[in-house]
Amino acid sequence: MNMITESKAPLLRTLTRGFRRRCPRCGAGRLYRAYLKPVDSCQSCSEQLGHIRADDIPAYFTIAVVGHIVVPSAVIVEQNYHPPEWLHLSMWIPLVLILTLSLLPSIKGTLVSLLWHLSLTGDEKQ
Ligand SMILES: [Zn+2]
């Protein structure tokens, strides 16, 4: 049920839909059927999404985002409060895990939406 003549939404709206873990085309259907497993096609508009591969880029972006939050925070806490190492570890390791696991699906959704918007879905090889 792909509408070939239908134009795509503006890039920012498409990326926002992906960040919200929604279909980049309609914004209504879910992007994932499991934690990071994309649906084969959108339940709302039938857009084919399962073949879009972001590979390792979402992980790299997530590492960069989490690193830019946690590392400066740890430095600021160390400079101002000098907590013992066990307190550092008990604060930053859970924060890294929580931020990584919560941001990864949204960052992957954003990048999958970008690939979809740019029509870099893996179909261009044929
Ligand atoms: Zn859709």
Side-chain angles (χ1 to χ4, degrees):
M1 190 168 132
N2 290 336
M3 303 285 185
I4 295 172
T5 57
E6 186 177 331
S7 63
K8 293 180 178 177
L11 177 61
L12 186 59
R13 185 178 307 152
T14 302
L15 297 180
T16 303
R17 289 172 177 168
F19 189 81
R20 291 177 40 239
R21 306 172 194 186
R22 295 292 169 183
C23 169
R25 182 175 179 227
C26 69
R30 299 174 140 235
L31 184 58
Y32 301 115
R33 59 184 156 97
Y35 178 62
L36 290 175
K37 272 281 203 228
V39 294
D40 292 331
S41 61
C42 176
Q43 293 176 333
S44 180
C45 70
S46 301
E47 180 72 18
Q48 297 295 313
L49 300 169
H51 64 293
I52 302 172
R53 299 186 53 94
D55 292 333
D56 295 337
I57 295 299
Y60 296 138
F61 274 68
T62 303
I63 290 168
V65 170
V66 171
H68 280 85
I69 294 170
V70 172
V71 171
S73 300
V75 170
I76 290 169
V77 168
E78 174 59 29
Q79 287 178 340
N80 292 317
Y81 304 105
H82 309 290
E85 288 181 20
W86 66 266
L87 188 56
H88 269 298
L89 293 175
S90 64
M91 287 188 318
W92 305 121
I93 290 176
L95 183 62
V96 165
L97 291 174
I98 290 167
L99 286 174
T100 300
L101 294 175
S102 61
L103 286 175
L104 184 56
S106 293
I107 290 174
K108 179 178 179 178
T110 304
L111 292 168
V112 166
S113 295
L114 176 63
L115 292 171
W116 178 85
H117 188 85
L118 298 173
S119 300
L120 298 174
T121 59
D123 298 335
E124 60 274 1
K125 291 179 183 172
Q126 285 89 29

